[in-house]
């Protein structure tokens, strides 16, 4: 099972405080999915920071320059603790078949994947994927710069960005397979 991951954070460091986790399933076989499972969870920033997540002034200033809709997406009353968000994401990632591997694609593995795995480690929660199943969407999109990325929904809203990246990845895989 392939999952496109997108995080919204309050730092660009590998121990960034996560404020939103977005993900969706997608196809890597050259087809375009007509049905996706989507995960969307807002994290209360205080809990992410208390669990060792970093907040940097430079990133907070960057957020101030983003759209009201993007900021509102992670400042909701429905925010949960980082631990609860990680547990919910792990449950959501459970494959349909026990032998199926979960591959997590991040926009690069040095950002989304590393930050999320670090949060799992700091919270003593088992991540739902193995290190060898990290995948890099950034590398994939650089293989086919001729295939345009199209934003679906709100830019910098984690789930909308994950869906946008997944659709782009599927289009790249389809082109690479000659579909």
């Amino acid at each position: 099972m392939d999952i496109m991951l997108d995080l919204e954070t309050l730092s660009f460091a590998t121990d960034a405080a996560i404020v939103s986790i977005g993900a969706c399933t997608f196809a890597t076989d050259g087809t375009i999915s007509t049905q996706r499972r989507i995960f969307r969870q807002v994290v209360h920033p205080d809990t992410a920071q208390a669990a060792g997540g970093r907040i940097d002034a430079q990133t907070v200033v960057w957020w101030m320059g983003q759209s009201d809709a993007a900021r509102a997406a992670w400042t909701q009353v429905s925010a949960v603790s980082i631990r609860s968000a990680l547990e919910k994401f792990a449950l959501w990632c459970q494959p349909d078949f026990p032998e199926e591997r979960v591959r997590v694609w991040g926009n690069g593995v040095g950002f989304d994947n590393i930050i999320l795995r670090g949060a799992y480690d700091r919270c003593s929660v088992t991540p739902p994927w193995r290190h060898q199943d990290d995948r890099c969407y950034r590398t994939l999109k650089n293989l086919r710069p001729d295939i345009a990325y199209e934003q679906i929904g709100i830019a910098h809203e984690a789930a909308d960005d994950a869906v946008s990246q997944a659709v782009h990845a599927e289009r790249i895989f389809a082109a690479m397979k000659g579909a």
Side-chain angles (χ1 to χ4, degrees):
M1 175 168 63
D2 289 278
I3 295 171
M4 184 64 72
L5 170 68
D6 189 75
L7 300 178
E8 300 306 333
T9 66
L10 292 177
S11 173
F12 292 112
T14 58
D15 60 348
I18 298 168
V19 293
S20 184
I21 302 170
C24 70
T25 56
F26 73 106
T28 59
D29 63 359
T31 62
I32 306 297
S33 295
T34 56
Q35 295 182 335
R36 299 182 195 286
R37 289 182 33 227
I38 298 173
F39 180 85
R40 175 181 277 116
Q41 184 59 65
V42 177
V43 177
H44 197 287
D46 289 349
T47 68
Q49 185 179 33
R54 182 186 306 192
I55 297 176
D56 292 333
Q58 181 181 12
T59 307
V60 173
V61 169
W62 178 86
W63 271 111
M64 291 169 49
Q66 301 311 305
S67 72
D68 291 341
R71 284 190 312 277
W74 61 267
T75 55
Q76 302 172 13
V77 177
S78 62
V80 300
S81 73
I82 185 65
R83 182 178 184 85
S84 177
L86 296 172
E87 290 169 344
K88 288 179 180 189
F89 184 64
L91 284 173
W92 181 86
C93 286
Q94 293 300 307
D96 294 331
F97 306 101
E99 68 279 355
E100 188 176 16
R101 292 173 70 170
V102 175
R103 290 171 299 279
V104 176
W105 294 72
N107 192 12
V109 294
F111 187 78
D112 297 293
N113 298 40
I114 293 292
I115 292 171
L116 190 58
R117 186 170 290 281
Y120 273 104
D121 291 344
R122 289 190 306 275
C123 291
S124 299
V125 177
T126 303
W129 78 100
R130 301 178 305 179
H131 285 284
Q132 61 263 43
D133 291 322
D134 279 317
R135 299 291 185 265
C136 187
Y137 163 68
R138 184 176 295 158
T139 300
L140 178 68
K141 69 182 179 179
N142 286 324
L143 292 173
R144 291 299 303 262
D146 58 311
I147 298 176
Y149 174 88
E150 296 173 22
Q151 181 66 42
I152 298 167
I154 300 167
H156 305 300
E157 191 283 326
D160 287 351
D161 285 352
V163 170
S164 300
Q165 293 166 189
V167 169
H168 187 223
E170 287 175 338
R171 292 176 58 221
I172 292 168
F173 281 118
M176 292 170 71
K177 294 197 179 213

